């Protein structure tokens, strides 16, 4: 009898730890999604909508996923310690993760179209040699 109580208590504690860490991670992004990010996510979703023809619930989930990744993208773009090439590589990795997350949001036929049009709607521009030189010159000056 006492053994069952201990097992249940431990099980509840483990579940509580996993649930709280998942919720706090989502809360962090929710706090960072400000009006500007939300507006940008709405605009990006609107660009996809004519081609993906999502229902309202799906479009909202799509928009939320876009917003979450926009927060991460802005953090990379605003990091002054990264070389332009490093930012580019991190942005490519982030874009791949966003694409994988969209596989959970979209049906396979919509997902295929999403992958096809994403480079036009959300391009990741490779840094030019001039940008690399400017970054190197300013970092040497500091």
């Amino acid at each position: 009898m006492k053994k069952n109580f201990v097992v249940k208590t431990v099980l509840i504690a483990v579940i509580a730890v996993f649930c709280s860490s998942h919720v706090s991670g989502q809360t962090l992004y929710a706090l960072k999604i400000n009006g500007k990010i939300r507006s940008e996510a709405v605009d990006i979703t609107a660009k996809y909508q004519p081609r993906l023809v999502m229902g309202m619930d799906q479009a909202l989930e799509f928009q939320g996923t876009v917003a979450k990744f926009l927060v991460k993208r802005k953090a990379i773009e605003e990091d002054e310690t990264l070389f332009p090439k490093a930012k580019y590589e991190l942005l490519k990795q982030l874009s791949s993760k966003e694409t994988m997350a969209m596989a959970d949001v979209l049906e396979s036929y919509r997902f295929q179209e999403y992958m096809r049009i994403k480079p036009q709607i959300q391009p990741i521009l490779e840094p030019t040699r001039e940008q690399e030189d400017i970054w190197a010159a300013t970092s040497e000056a500091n």
Side-chain angles (χ1 to χ4, degrees), residues 33-50 54 56 58-70 98 102 121-122:
I33 297 175
N34 58 25
K36 185 177 179 184
I37 295 282
R38 197 173 315 280
S39 176
E40 194 173 341
V42 168
D43 292 343
I44 291 170
T45 303
K47 290 177 183 175
Y48 281 103
Q49 182 62 359
M54 298 174 280
M56 187 183 304
Q58 189 175 40
L60 286 173
E61 188 175 355
F62 184 96
Q63 180 182 321
T65 303
V66 168
K68 183 173 88 171
F69 281 93
L70 281 174
E98 180 182 27
M102 288 302 181
I121 296 175
Q122 294 177 281

Side-chain angles (χ1 to χ4, degrees), residues 24-112:
S24 68
Q26 288 184 349
T27 304
L28 175 64
Y29 289 112
L31 292 174
K32 290 185 177 184
I33 297 175
N34 58 25
K36 185 177 179 184
I37 295 282
R38 197 173 315 280
S39 176
E40 194 173 341
V42 168
D43 292 343
I44 291 170
T45 303
K47 290 177 183 175
Y48 281 103
Q49 182 62 359
R51 302 290 282 283
L52 301 181
V53 192
M54 298 174 280
M56 187 183 304
D57 290 343
Q58 189 175 40
L60 286 173
E61 188 175 355
F62 184 96
Q63 180 182 321
T65 303
V66 168
K68 183 173 88 171
F69 281 93
L70 281 174
V71 169
K72 295 176 183 183
R73 181 180 181 128
K74 298 293 182 199
I76 293 170
E77 290 172 343
E78 293 171 0
D79 190 340
E80 298 291 325
T81 63
L82 294 172
F83 284 98
K85 187 73 173 173
K87 283 184 184 184
Y88 171 72
E89 292 300 326
L90 287 172
L91 289 171
K92 279 189 352 184
Q93 291 174 10
L94 183 62
S95 179
S96 293
K97 289 179 182 177
E98 180 182 27
T99 299
M100 298 309 289
M102 288 302 181
D104 293 335
V105 175
L106 302 169
E107 298 89 349
S108 62
Y109 65 96
R110 285 189 174 111
F111 180 68
Q112 294 300 318

Side-chain angles (χ1 to χ4, degrees), residues 2-19:
K2 201 172 195 178
K3 184 179 177 182
N4 284 342
F5 176 74
V6 172
V7 171
K8 287 180 185 178
T9 305
V10 170
L11 184 60
I12 290 171
V14 169
I15 291 171
V17 167
F18 282 115
C19 290

